[in-house]
């Protein structure tokens, strides 16, 4: 399928139930919880060196940050994109070109960040990019607040699923993301991902080629219920799955409204989650040094012309800036 710049009609978006919010709005004339219309909108694309080593490698992960979000956590570190929608519109054909150009630049993979509300449009772009020679793995980097039947439409197009598992209890999912059903929904979504791609596999250089890796961002005061999250995963998927336990929380977004979110995590809080994973029998775990700072978060921009022809904005973590 070769697409041109014409506007594509997606019947499902006339009454959008792409994600568990089930807004039923016509995204051609209105917006629902996520804030997104029908046109793809993205902000930064960059060769990202701050992901797990199997994604960043030596050249970087070809990371594409989409605007808007269907989960919208109050502490989001990409708040300007997820809640404010900073970014520029891009066609499916342009997104396919961008992916191919990132491959030419040496990206080890295409890393689609917060893609859920654009699943149909991204599927169109991915199909075109594959037909035109996209060979590197495609990474679906999502919140896991997704529907299995929608994820099934990505089977064969996505190689690595990289979901966050945000909360183990509906109480906190309600308070910080307005998503009481998050734990059950995320578990079903991740189960579908696992059934599509299986355990994470690596090439000879140690780069991820296919499989599932679940991220757990440790929040202060045990607010993500990390141990409960681990138990849910172990009971449903077993302990053979690759985990990435993240210690990079820092207060961001609207978190100033919540005193309990107003600090980074302690070493003890982080170690408790790692030890719980080990006690349950998980052995494939990426761990991190605690970094309560913005060091690894790229700087985003307001609306501007996107350069899809080649020159990625390269994030250099050593400078703490991506410019
Ligand atoms: S994708 Fe957006 S509009 Fe559609 S159901 Fe989800 S939140 Fe609502």
């Amino acid at each position: 399928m070769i697409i041109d710049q014409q506007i594509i009609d997606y019947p499902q978006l006339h009454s959008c139930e792409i994600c568990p919010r089930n807004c039923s709005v016509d995204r051609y004339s209105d917006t629902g919880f996520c804030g997104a219309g029908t046109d793809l909108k993205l902000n930064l694309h960059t060769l990202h060196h701050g992901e797990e080593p199997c994604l960043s490698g030596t050249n970087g992960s070809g990371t594409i940050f989409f605007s808007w979000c269907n989960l919208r956590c109050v502490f989001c570190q990409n708040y300007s994109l997820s809640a404010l929608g900073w970014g520029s519109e891009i066609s499916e054909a342009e997104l396919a070109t961008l992916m191919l150009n990132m491959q030419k630049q040496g990206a080890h993979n295409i890393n689609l960040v917060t893609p859920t509300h654009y699943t149909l449009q991204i599927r169109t772009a991915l199909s075109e990019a594959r037909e035109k020679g996209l060979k590197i793995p495609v990474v679906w980097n999502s919140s896991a607040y997704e529907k299995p039947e929608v994820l099934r439409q990505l089977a064969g197009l996505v190689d690595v699923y990289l979901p966050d598992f945000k909360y183990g209890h509906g109480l906190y999912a309600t308070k910080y993301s307005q998503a009481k059903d998050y734990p059950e929904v995320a578990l079903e979504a991740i189960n579908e991902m696992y059934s599509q791609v299986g355990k994470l596999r690596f090439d000879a250089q140690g780069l991820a080629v296919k499989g599932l890796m679940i991220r757990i961002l440790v929040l202060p005061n045990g607010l993500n219920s990390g141990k409960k999250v681990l138990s849910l995963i172990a009971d449903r998927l077993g302990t053979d799955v690759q985990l990435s336990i993240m210690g990079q929380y820092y207060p961001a977004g609207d978190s100033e409204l919540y005193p309990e979110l107003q600090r980074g995590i302690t070493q003890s809080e982080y170690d408790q989650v790692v030890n719980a994973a080990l006690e349950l029998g998980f052995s494939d775990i990426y761990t991190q040094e605690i970094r309560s700072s913005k060091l690894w978060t790229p700087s985003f921009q307001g609306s501007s012309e996107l350069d899809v022809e080649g020159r990625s904005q390269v994030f250099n973590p050593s400078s703490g800036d991506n410019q």
Side-chain angles (χ1 to χ4, degrees):
M1 174 185 53
I2 304 298
I3 50 178
D4 57 24
Q5 302 289 343
Q6 72 191 10
I7 294 174
I8 301 168
D9 185 60
Y10 297 97
Q12 287 172 271
L13 298 185
H14 286 288
S15 180
C16 185
E17 298 188 351
I18 288 295
C19 86
R21 300 282 182 196
N22 291 326
C23 300
S24 301
V25 295
D26 185 347
R27 283 177 54 182
Y28 286 88
S29 57
D30 198 359
T31 55
F33 184 92
C34 62
T38 50
D39 290 333
L40 282 162
K41 197 173 181 190
L42 61 88
N43 193 292
L44 188 67
H45 53 91
T46 181
L47 291 176
H48 198 333
H49 293 271
E51 302 286 48
E52 288 81 353
C54 66
L55 297 176
S56 288
T58 51
N59 297 347
S61 175
T63 309
I64 299 172
F65 292 88
F66 291 95
S67 310
W68 303 115
C69 177
N70 74 319
L71 190 59
R72 297 234 309 268
C73 308
V74 296
F75 50 82
C76 183
Q77 296 176 354
N78 299 340
Y79 184 83
S80 54
L81 277 68
S82 61
L84 305 182
W86 286 10
S88 301
E89 289 175 355
I90 184 174
S91 70
E92 290 88 338
E94 289 171 323
L95 179 58
T97 300
L98 174 59
M99 294 180 196
L100 290 163
N101 285 332
M102 295 188 98
Q103 175 173 263
K104 268 190 223 153
Q105 292 161 22
H108 294 304
N109 46 66
I110 298 298
N111 184 350
L112 304 166
V113 181
T114 322
T116 303
H117 46 295
Y118 295 125
T119 299
L120 303 184
Q121 299 92 324
I122 291 173
R123 184 186 58 176
T124 302
L126 275 176
S127 298
E128 162 135 345
R130 289 292 197 209
E131 281 186 31
K132 287 185 168 177
L134 184 72
K135 301 267 191 287
I136 55 178
V138 170
V139 180
W140 191 260
N141 185 340
S142 73
S143 69
Y145 198 55
E146 302 178 281
K147 290 180 168 181
E149 62 269 31
V150 175
L151 288 167
R152 274 195 278 281
Q153 299 185 46
L154 296 168
L157 288 171
V158 169
D159 303 286
V160 176
Y161 280 104
L162 182 64
D164 285 321
F165 204 137
K166 297 270 189 192
Y167 309 101
H169 279 296
L171 177 70
Y172 301 123
T174 303
K175 187 170 183 185
Y176 304 127
S177 294
Q178 303 176 61
K180 184 181 178 190
D181 57 355
Y182 179 88
E184 311 88 78
V185 165
L187 200 56
E188 289 307 311
I190 293 173
N191 188 55
E192 168 60 27
M193 297 173 187
Y194 200 37
S195 72
Q196 284 184 28
V197 295
K199 183 176 165 61
L200 191 63
R201 279 96 77 199
F202 306 88
D203 67 11
Q205 282 74 48
L207 296 166
V209 291
K210 189 163 185 173
L212 170 73
M213 174 158 58
I214 303 173
R215 283 177 166 173
I216 299 170
L217 175 68
V218 180
L219 297 181
N221 300 300
L223 294 171
N224 64 325
S225 315
K227 292 182 189 175
K228 178 80 185 302
V229 166
L230 290 163
S231 298
L232 291 170
I233 297 169
D235 290 347
R236 185 62 188 264
L237 306 179
T239 55
D240 219 16
V241 294
Q242 177 75 49
L243 301 179
S244 176
I245 300 179
M246 308 182 80
Q248 63 190 44
Y249 175 83
Y250 62 87
D254 276 336
S255 62
E256 75 269 12
L257 302 173
Y258 303 87
E260 67 276 22
L261 289 171
Q262 278 304 293
R263 65 166 173 84
I265 62 168
T266 65
Q267 189 66 51
S268 168
E269 286 171 330
Y270 184 78
D271 291 346
Q272 282 177 37
V273 178
V274 174
N275 289 335
L278 293 171
E279 282 165 20
L280 281 165
F282 290 97
S283 56
D284 297 325
I285 309 172
Y286 281 111
T287 57
Q288 270 188 329
E289 295 202 1
I290 291 175
R291 292 190 302 258
S292 296
S293 78
K294 297 181 177 177
L295 185 63
W296 292 88
T297 303
S299 298
F300 300 108
Q301 307 165 342
S303 296
S304 61
E305 279 298 302
L306 282 166
D307 174 11
V308 298
E309 294 305 323
R311 300 173 296 279
S312 272
Q313 300 140 290
V314 178
F315 174 44
N316 177 3
S318 63
S319 70
D321 193 0
N322 71 326
Q323 301 305 308

